[in-house]
């Protein structure tokens, strides 16, 4: 089994961490911090006292205004993937204000509006890091549920503040709202990066977006901004009206309707598959033209079944992608600001998070919850 | 896998009504009865002779049939040699559920031209030529326009297919072939016909994805899974491209040959977890020739980030695709199927330039059933080729 954070939570790391954890979360760092954490696989989140490091010379301290609720947060708090290290403070779609910058920090100053996304650490010296692909660095550390470079556990954005190395802080462009822009820090880059890498940006080509949730609805907007024809593929017929009339999709396919699906066979150049549950790839592969490309972005608990004949007979491809490097994430934010792309959000208070998670599990949100951290998170 | 699912796979790429007809013809006659009115001997005016399988035992035996007269764009050639591809074996035993008996296999066919039609421009009598896996396409779709006839929804396959006139296609285990010149490949003088017949399927099947997926650049590291007909040719082409090659195989016995005779840079025994772990994250690409179902996880692990796993063998059951390794390393799994005609000719010319031939065991037609038994056990180094010219007699 390959765990995505196996490189940062190896057995020896856990051992090191346990030693450091001779100190409690509250005392391992000098500055008191407060957030909400899940403590076991019930996934129930509740107030949690911990601590943050001092602002180092390369660091930016961020007072958190908003934090998006990503489906990964839900998978993690419930330990769906089997590598959650409790207690976990989720949250990697963070927007806030820089309140302190270290003396080596040149790109940010106090008062700047900044973002922090899915990763907050990498080795900064390997081939991947040199190519601005920190997200593929073997030492890459996630914003939460991972071990940082100082050997302590990272806690995420369901909290008041976060301290981050400047390399992993993003400038939030003028004109991009903090609340509806926050989800771009994961959902946005997660679809933008593979669309660029796999060449899914040729105007006039036909993009299918499977799943209309947090990732999917942003993929529709970004796809339209690239000049693509966009078809939403969804199991929920009720989403059609919105998909077309509000999100701008050109057409809508109900995936559970065999006649619909059959009529669309061999019509798409690309598919972005955002579905996070285990699902059949064969019907999606059928929708692709020859040389078609399917990028799978959801993270199901079990492997998917991959039929090989359609790949061989149509020279088709299934590829993965994992967020994006920092340079590309900034490029994506600037692109979205330019094209007025924001997420469709439902703003919630911190203490509504558990019912939000229940609704998220049922895909009952249009299309991302965002926690109004600054206005609702307060220590008891 | 339920054969009807395989039919679905095929029909999704062959949308036209005409090909629906062809697909219907592929439904085993035991279920639907024969849809052909004329017998094989009477379908066309020219007498032909070959060996065919008549049922799913796969046993091949003499078979009288017919070929069309040489049309104005046709090339007719006397078959000298025909390679035995593993898909011939899958097909004679109806392992994919799509075989319409009687079937004359063979799509690595080489010989000498004996007649050309009036409008033929590229070939003349006496030329050394070959035909691979397809002999017809629509010439008007996007794929054909991009020299990708092998992905045309109306492609006509060399055997167990259907001509546009509705008659079945019979392959190269036979004395003559009649083929539209657009699907005929020229063989340069310096290429031995017997040892190069397998290039027409095994060769192009490895050459095309190495080129298309950019695994042909000097200094890259490519793995080849399975050292059989396709695998040994993938190794030779990759070495000719200047690529470092590691053979990945379940048979430790093949290591000496792979490294000492065939030129592989290294050899990994896939059933040895220590070896596999030591090689993790070292390959830019992998050409996977194995058609039996097998796990992908370890192969994905061998790839560097942004690496590509290219399937050219086609397991008939879906394989498990572990998602995390795919995403965490931005890796891809893709497929590839033979190549277009232009690229097949390019591959033959490349092979002529770099002296790439297949390692073959030449057999008389009478040995073909034994050869099939041995092929089922991978007991051949690395392709059987039938000496049609010297052994196929009516």
């Amino acid at each position: 089994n390959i765990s995505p954070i196996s490189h940062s939570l190896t057995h020896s790391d856990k051992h090191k961490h346990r030693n450091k954890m001779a100190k409690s979360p509250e005392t391992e760092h000098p500055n008191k911090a407060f957030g909400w954490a899940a403590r076991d696989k019930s996934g129930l989140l509740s107030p949690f006292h911990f601590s943050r490091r001092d602002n180092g010379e390369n660091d930016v301290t961020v007072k958190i205004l908003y934090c998006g609720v990503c489906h990964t947060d839900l998978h993690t708090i419930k330990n769906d993937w089997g590598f959650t290290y409790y207690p976990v403070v989720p949250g990697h779609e963070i927007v806030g204000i820089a309140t302190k910058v270290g003396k080596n920090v040149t790109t940010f100053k106090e008062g700047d509006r900044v973002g922090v996304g899915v990763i907050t650490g990498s080795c900064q010296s390997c081939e991947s890091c040199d190519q601005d692909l920190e997200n593929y660095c073997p030492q890459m550390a996630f914003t939460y549920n991972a071990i940082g470079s100082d050997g302590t556990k990272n806690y995420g954005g369901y909290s008041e503040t976060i301290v981050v190395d400047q390399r992993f802080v993003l400038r939030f462009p003028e004109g991009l709202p903090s609340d509806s822009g926050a989800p771009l820090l994961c959902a946005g880059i997660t679809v933008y990066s593979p669309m660029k890498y796999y060449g899914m940006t040729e105007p006039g080509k036909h993009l299918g977006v499977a799943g209309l949730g947090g990732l999917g609805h942003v993929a529709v907007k970004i796809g339209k901004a690239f000049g693509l024809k966009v078809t939403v593929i969804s199991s929920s017929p009720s989403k059609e009206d919105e998909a077309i009339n509000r999100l701008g999709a050109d057409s809508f396919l109900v995936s559970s309707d065999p006649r619909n699906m059959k009529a669309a066979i061999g019509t798409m150049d690309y598919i972005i598959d955002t579905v996070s549950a285990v699902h059949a790839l064969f019907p999606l592969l059928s929708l692709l033209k020859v040389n078609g490309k399917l990028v799978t972005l959801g993270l199901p608990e079990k492997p998917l079944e991959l039929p090989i004949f359609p790949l061989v007979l149509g020279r088709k491809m299934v590829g993965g992608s994992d967020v994006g490097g920092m340079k590309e994430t900034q490029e994506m934010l600037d692109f979205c600001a330019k094209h007025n792309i924001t997420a469709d959000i439902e703003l919630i208070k911190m203490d509504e998070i558990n019912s939000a998670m229940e609704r998220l599990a049922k895909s009952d949100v249009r299309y991302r919850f965002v926690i109004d951290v600054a206005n609702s998170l307060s220590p008891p | 896998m339920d054969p009807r699912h395989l039919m679905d796979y095929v029909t999704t790429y062959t949308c036209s009504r005409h090909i629906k007809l062809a697909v219907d013809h592929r439904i085993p006659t035991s279920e639907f009865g024969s849809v052909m009115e004329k017998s094989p001997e009477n379908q066309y005016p020219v007498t032909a002779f070959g060996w065919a399988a008549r049922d799913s035992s796969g046993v091949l035996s003499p078979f009288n049939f017919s070929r069309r007269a040489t049309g104005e764009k046709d090339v007719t050639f006397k078959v000298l040699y025909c390679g035995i591809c593993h898909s011939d074996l899958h097909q004679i035993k109806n392992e994919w559920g799509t075989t319409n008996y009687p079937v004359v296999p063979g799509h690595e066919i080489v010989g000498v031209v004996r007649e050309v039609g009036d409008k033929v421009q590229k070939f003349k009598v006496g030329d050394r030529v070959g035909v691979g896996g397809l002999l017809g396409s629509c010439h008007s779709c996007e794929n054909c326009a991009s020299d990708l006839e092998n992905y045309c929804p109306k492609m006509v396959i060399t055997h167990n297919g259907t001509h546009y006139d509705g008659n079945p296609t019979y392959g190269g285990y036979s004395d003559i072939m009649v083929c539209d010149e657009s699907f005929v490949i020229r063989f340069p003088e310096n290429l031995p016909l017997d040892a190069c017949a397998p290039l027409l399927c095994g060769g192009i099947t490895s050459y095309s994805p190495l080129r298309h997926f950019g695994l042909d650049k000097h200094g890259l590291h490519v793995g080849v899974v399975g050292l059989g007909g396709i695998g040994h040719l993938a190794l030779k082409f990759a070495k000719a491209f200047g690529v470092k090659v590691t053979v990945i195989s379940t048979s430790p016995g093949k290591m000496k040959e792979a490294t000492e005779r065939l030129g592989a840079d290294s050899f990994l025994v896939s059933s040895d977890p220590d070896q596999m772990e030591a090689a993790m994250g070292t390959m830019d690409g992998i050409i996977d020739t194995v058609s039996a179902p097998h796990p992908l996880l370890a192969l994905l692990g061998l790839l560097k980030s942004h690496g590509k796993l290219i399937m050219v063998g086609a397991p008939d059951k879906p394989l498990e695709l572990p998602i995390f390794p795919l995403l965490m390393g931005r890796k891809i799994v893709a497929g590839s199927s033979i190549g277009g005609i232009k690229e097949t000719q390019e591959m033959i010319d490349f092979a002529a330039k770099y002296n790439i031939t297949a390692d073959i065991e030449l057999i008389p037609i009478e040995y073909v059933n034994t050869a099939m038994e041995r092929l089922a056990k991978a007991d051949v180094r690395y392709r059987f080729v039938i000496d049609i010219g010297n052994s196929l007699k009516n």
Side-chain angles (χ1 to χ4, degrees):
Chain A
N1 265 337
I2 295 180
S3 144
I5 55 170
S6 59
H7 53 268
S8 59
L9 265 187
T10 58
H11 187 76
S12 67
D13 282 341
K14 279 191 190 153
H15 189 68
K16 255 191 284 175
H17 185 254
R18 231 174 267 125
N19 284 340
K20 294 238 176 215
M21 287 297 284
K23 295 188 171 194
S24 71
E26 285 186 61
T27 55
E28 64 181 342
H29 293 295
N31 301 304
K32 283 200 191 353
F34 176 70
W36 278 44
R39 288 161 168 80
D40 58 47
K41 65 184 179 58
S42 69
L44 273 177
L45 293 143
S46 57
F48 174 69
H49 294 275
F50 63 109
S51 49
R52 294 278 190 203
R53 66 173 184 263
D54 277 335
N55 198 79
E57 52 190 19
N58 296 318
D59 286 336
V60 176
T61 297
V62 181
K63 171 179 156 59
I64 298 175
L65 299 176
Y66 299 99
C67 186
V69 178
C70 176
H71 207 124
T72 295
D73 298 350
L74 176 55
H75 283 306
T76 304
I77 60 180
K78 297 223 162 213
N79 200 15
D80 284 347
W81 298 322
F83 52 80
T84 302
Y85 197 44
Y86 296 103
V88 60
V89 175
H92 57 218
E93 296 180 339
I94 305 164
V95 180
I97 305 288
T99 55
K100 274 202 200 86
V101 302
K103 69 179 182 22
N104 292 342
V105 174
T106 49
T107 35
F108 303 101
K109 57 188 192 309
E110 286 177 27
D112 279 351
R113 214 156 55 102
V114 296
V116 175
V118 180
I119 54 184
T120 49
S122 74
C123 80
Q124 304 196 38
S125 61
C126 69
E127 209 179 308
S128 291
C129 289
D130 284 345
Q131 292 170 25
D132 299 311
L133 292 173
E134 297 91 345
N135 49 324
Y136 299 113
C137 165
Q139 313 287 333
M140 179 266 290
F142 289 122
T143 301
Y144 66 85
N145 197 41
I147 303 293
S149 52
D150 62 359
T152 64
K153 187 159 71 175
N154 288 345
Y155 293 111
Y158 294 13
S159 61
E160 295 174 304
T161 61
I162 190 167
V163 182
V164 181
D165 183 303
Q166 62 170 326
R167 182 163 176 158
F168 301 93
V169 177
L170 295 138
R171 176 184 37 81
F172 228 66
E174 280 292 313
L176 200 59
S178 301
D179 53 358
S180 55
L184 297 174
L185 291 161
C186 178
I189 186 59
T190 296
V191 306
Y192 181 88
S193 183
M195 288 180 76
K196 296 291 293 271
Y197 177 68
Y198 290 108
M200 299 169 145
T201 56
E202 217 181 303
K205 298 279 188 187
H206 187 182
L207 168 73
V209 176
L212 195 64
L215 291 184
H217 88 292
V218 171
V220 172
K221 297 185 184 196
I222 291 181
K224 291 307 298 171
F226 280 132
L228 303 172
K229 172 180 162 184
V230 178
T231 295
V232 169
I233 306 150
S234 168
S235 53
S236 325
S238 57
K239 291 185 176 177
E240 178 168 356
D241 184 47
E242 260 219 2
I244 302 210
N245 296 322
R246 214 164 60 70
L247 296 175
D250 296 280
S251 53
F252 190 92
L253 258 191
V254 180
S255 49
S256 46
D257 179 339
R259 263 188 325 180
N260 241 230
M261 290 293 278
K262 193 162 171 185
I265 279 174
T267 58
M268 297 181 191
D269 298 282
Y270 331 117
I271 292 178
I272 294 274
D273 180 3
T274 73
V275 176
S276 61
V278 170
H279 60 285
L281 286 177
F282 173 63
L284 294 178
L285 290 171
S286 308
L287 297 175
L288 289 172
K289 297 176 184 174
V290 169
N291 293 323
K293 302 172 185 176
L294 185 149
V295 176
T296 175
L297 300 171
L299 290 165
E301 298 150 41
K302 295 189 180 26
L304 298 184
E305 270 195 359
L306 179 67
I308 303 298
F309 259 95
L311 296 186
V312 170
L313 291 181
R315 195 158 69 178
K316 299 181 183 183
M317 178 213 93
V318 175
S321 182
D322 185 21
V323 296
M326 299 318 298
K327 182 169 170 209
E328 192 173 37
T329 307
Q330 186 67 64
E331 178 190 301
M332 175 278 305
L333 286 175
D334 295 333
F335 178 91
C336 288
K338 178 174 166 186
H339 292 275
N340 281 321
I341 294 172
T342 57
D344 290 16
I345 69 167
E346 187 176 325
L347 203 60
I348 59 165
K349 298 197 190 21
M350 189 73 240
D351 62 8
E352 294 171 320
I353 186 62
N354 289 310
S355 48
M357 287 297 189
E358 280 178 18
R359 285 179 51 200
L360 179 57
K362 292 179 284 189
S363 300
D364 174 22
V365 56
R366 282 185 169 157
Y367 290 95
R368 222 16 164 215
F369 290 112
V370 172
I371 306 169
D372 187 354
V373 174
N375 290 323
S376 68
L377 179 70
S378 44
Chain B
M1 182 179 80
D2 186 338
R4 286 169 298 179
H5 289 162
L6 180 59
M7 297 292 272
D8 285 346
Y9 292 157
V10 175
T11 52
T12 57
Y13 304 102
T14 52
C15 318
S16 74
R17 192 177 65 88
H18 177 89
I19 296 299
K20 177 91 179 42
L21 196 65
V23 168
D24 288 339
H25 281 205
R26 291 188 213 159
I27 295 168
T29 52
S30 55
E31 278 195 272
F32 288 88
S34 173
V35 296
M36 289 172 286
E37 290 170 10
K38 290 189 170 182
S39 75
E41 287 169 285
N42 296 325
Q43 281 156 5
Y44 294 116
V46 177
T47 303
F49 173 71
W51 278 43
R54 288 161 167 79
D55 57 45
S56 62
S57 70
V59 170
L60 294 145
S61 58
F63 175 68
N64 293 303
F65 64 108
S66 50
R67 295 276 188 207
R68 67 176 183 261
T70 307
E72 55 187 15
K73 291 193 183 165
D74 284 336
V75 171
T76 296
F77 65 96
K78 173 176 158 56
V79 178
L80 294 178
Y81 302 99
C82 187
I84 299 183
C85 174
H86 205 123
S87 30
D88 294 345
L89 176 56
H90 287 307
Q91 199 177 81
I92 59 179
K93 295 206 165 228
N94 199 16
E95 284 170 12
W96 294 329
T98 56
T99 305
N100 201 28
Y101 295 102
V103 61
V104 176
H107 53 263
E108 297 181 334
I109 317 166
V110 295
V112 175
V113 178
R114 77 173 199 200
E115 190 182 354
V116 298
D118 294 337
K119 296 205 169 149
V120 168
Q121 298 181 326
K122 294 186 284 185
F123 301 98
K124 59 187 193 308
V125 172
D127 281 349
R128 302 156 95 243
V129 296
V131 168
L134 63 156
L135 30 80
S137 75
C138 80
H139 293 303
S140 59
C141 69
E142 212 175 303
N143 297 307
C144 289
S146 312
D147 298 313
L148 292 173
E149 301 88 353
N150 50 319
Y151 299 112
C152 169
K154 300 185 184 177
M155 166 183 67
V156 178
I157 54 178
T158 301
H159 50 93
N160 198 44
T162 307
H163 285 295
Y164 294 128
D165 63 12
N167 284 316
T169 58
Y170 294 119
Y173 295 14
S174 62
D175 54 357
I176 60 165
M177 285 294 295
V178 182
C179 183
D180 183 304
E181 72 164 331
S182 345
F183 296 90
V184 176
I185 306 293
R186 170 188 316 286
F187 269 70
E189 283 302 314
N190 67 313
L191 276 187
L193 285 181
D194 55 354
C196 290
L199 296 177
L200 290 165
C201 179
I204 186 60
T205 296
S206 43
Y207 180 92
S208 185
L210 285 168
R211 285 285 200 211
H212 178 73
F213 291 102
L215 298 174
D216 56 348
K217 310 274 178 293
H218 189 90
L220 291 184
H221 181 189
V222 171
V224 175
V225 187
L227 193 64
I230 307 176
H232 89 292
L233 288 170
L235 165 52
K236 294 188 183 196
F237 279 114
K239 290 307 299 169
F241 289 139
V243 165
K244 172 180 163 185
V245 181
T246 295
V247 169
I248 303 150
S249 169
T250 50
S251 326
K254 291 184 176 178
M255 175 162 110
K256 197 161 146 55
E257 255 217 7
T259 50
E260 290 176 18
R261 207 171 61 73
L262 295 173
D265 296 275
S266 54
F267 190 95
L268 264 188
V269 180
S270 47
S271 46
D272 181 335
D274 292 333
Q275 277 191 35
M276 291 294 276
E277 185 164 343
M280 280 183 79
T282 59
M283 298 182 193
D284 298 283
I286 292 174
I287 303 286
D288 185 352
T289 75
V290 176
S291 59
H294 58 287
L296 294 182
L297 178 64
L299 297 178
L300 288 172
L302 294 175
L303 292 171
K304 297 175 184 174
S305 287
H306 326 299
K308 304 168 189 177
L309 174 59
I310 313 299
M311 314 296 291
V312 298
D316 58 5
K317 292 183 184 10
L319 302 183
E320 258 192 16
L321 178 68
I323 293 296
F324 276 95
L326 205 69
L327 266 63
M328 298 297 293
R330 194 161 66 176
K331 301 178 181 180
I332 72 168
V333 181
S336 183
S337 173
I338 48 175
I341 298 305
K342 182 172 169 204
E343 191 173 33
T344 305
Q345 185 67 65
E346 177 191 300
M347 176 274 304
I348 292 288
D349 295 337
F350 181 93
K353 181 172 172 187
Y354 290 92
N355 281 318
I356 295 172
T357 61
D359 289 19
I360 69 166
E361 186 176 326
L362 197 62
I363 61 159
I365 187 71
E366 294 82 13
Y367 191 78
V368 73
N369 288 310
T370 310
M372 287 297 188
E373 284 170 28
R374 285 178 53 198
L375 180 58
K377 292 178 283 190
D379 174 24
V380 56
R381 285 190 167 157
Y382 289 96
R383 220 24 161 208
F384 288 110
V385 172
I386 308 171
D387 188 352
I388 298 276
N390 289 324
S391 67
L392 183 73
K393 294 169 191 354
N394 198 334

